[in-house]
Amino acid sequence: SQQGEEDPQALSIQEGENATMNCSYKTSINNLQWYRQNSGRGLVHLILIRSNEREKHSGRLRVTLDTSKKSSSLLITASRAADTASYFCATQTFYSGGGADGLTFGKGTHLIIQP
Amino acid sequence: DAGITQSPRYKITETGRQVTLMCHQTWSHSYMFWYRQDLGHGLRLIYYSAAADITDKGEVPDGYVVSRSKTENFPLTLESATRSQTSVYFCASSLQETQYFGPGTRLLVL
């Protein structure tokens, strides 16, 4: 069953603008991760936020997590044409340091950056 | 080259045939995973492995078999391929919580 659901399914913006994607999930999690997938390629890890964290930054990426609403958002600032890709949120319900669940992915947001 | 590789990258087969997709990682990560990606479903976990000789089912394991005799290899076998197994298959390994994905294998079952 799908854990994460991204919103919107597709987003088209002008280069230089900010892009915001949202993710909602259903059950308690240990962490939430965002991945990027360029067309025809494998997924690349972008950022991880743990359940006890509320906000995290990495370069032009900002992720927030609201566990009370079971939702997360990914903000990409000053978008570039190279940011065109599909973005997936993935939740992990269990991680003990010695063992880990697989990730449960949403269906993704397809982001198009218009030059 | 270091990293995670998958072979073949593209495969066409017929229903009822046995197919094995290979996955190899050079990092010595303990955990490895197999996912399938389908339009409308996103990625779904098929099987995962915590270490050599330890495997467990994911969300959609039916019709698939895995083995892990060596830490670096995690092959996925479709025992008798069906058209519903047409998909893109991704292998991943993990270091702590982060997963690292291979380039994928596009499988078409006719």
Side-chain angles (χ1 to χ4, degrees):
Chain A
S1 61
Q2 221 69 35
Q3 165 76 308
E5 290 288 339
E6 290 92 343
D7 173 58
Q9 291 185 340
L11 179 62
S12 180
I13 61 174
Q14 295 293 319
E15 194 167 20
E17 293 181 339
N18 295 341
T20 300
M21 289 158 269
N22 302 297
C23 171
S24 60
Y25 57 92
K26 298 174 184 175
T27 64
S28 296
I29 60 171
N30 177 279
N31 65 76
L32 184 144
Q33 305 179 34
W34 286 90
Y35 287 78
R36 183 187 74 228
Q37 184 180 34
N38 291 90
S39 181
R41 303 283 188 92
L43 284 78
V44 175
H45 180 261
L46 294 176
I47 195 165
L48 177 152
I49 187 165
R50 293 186 171 83
S51 59
N52 62 352
E53 297 175 312
R54 292 295 167 260
E55 187 171 313
K56 207 161 182 180
H57 297 253
S58 177
R60 294 185 295 115
L61 305 180
R62 172 179 168 253
V63 170
T64 62
L65 179 64
D66 186 336
T67 53
S68 66
K69 295 181 179 178
K70 291 186 170 60
S71 67
S72 172
S73 67
L74 171 67
L75 169 68
I76 303 174
T77 61
S79 64
R80 305 167 182 169
D83 295 328
T84 293
S86 292
Y87 292 81
F88 294 88
C89 72
T91 54
Q92 190 167 58
T93 56
F94 171 73
Y95 179 75
S96 70
D101 273 353
L103 294 170
T104 304
F105 285 84
K107 297 177 183 179
T109 292
H110 186 52
L111 175 65
I112 297 173
I113 308 300
Q114 308 273 9
Chain B
D1 287 348
I4 185 163
T5 57
Q6 294 183 235
S7 62
R9 293 293 314 279
Y10 304 90
K11 177 73 177 179
I12 300 174
T13 190
E14 296 176 338
T15 55
R17 296 278 182 110
Q18 183 179 82
V19 178
T20 296
L21 309 183
M22 304 301 293
C23 178
H24 176 78
Q25 54 113 348
T26 60
W27 293 305
S28 299
H29 290 167
S30 294
Y31 274 76
M32 297 187 74
F33 306 83
W34 274 106
Y35 296 89
R36 58 177 290 174
Q37 184 176 30
D38 305 287
L39 283 174
H41 289 281
L43 282 90
R44 292 178 292 174
L45 181 66
I46 304 171
Y47 268 96
Y48 67 100
S49 170
D53 298 321
I54 301 175
T55 62
D56 208 348
K57 296 178 180 179
E59 182 186 351
V60 288
D62 293 343
Y64 302 96
V65 174
V66 294
S67 62
R68 190 147 178 228
S69 58
K70 293 183 178 180
T71 301
E72 60 266 32
N73 296 323
F74 190 37
L76 175 74
T77 298
L78 288 66
E79 294 186 295
S80 179
T82 65
R83 290 193 179 125
S84 65
Q85 292 177 310
T86 290
S87 185
V88 182
Y89 290 85
F90 288 100
C91 178
S93 67
S94 70
L95 177 63
Q96 299 184 335
E97 301 104 320
T98 300
Q99 294 192 11
Y100 299 87
F101 285 78
T105 293
R106 290 183 177 271
L107 176 68
L108 174 61
V109 183
L110 300 175

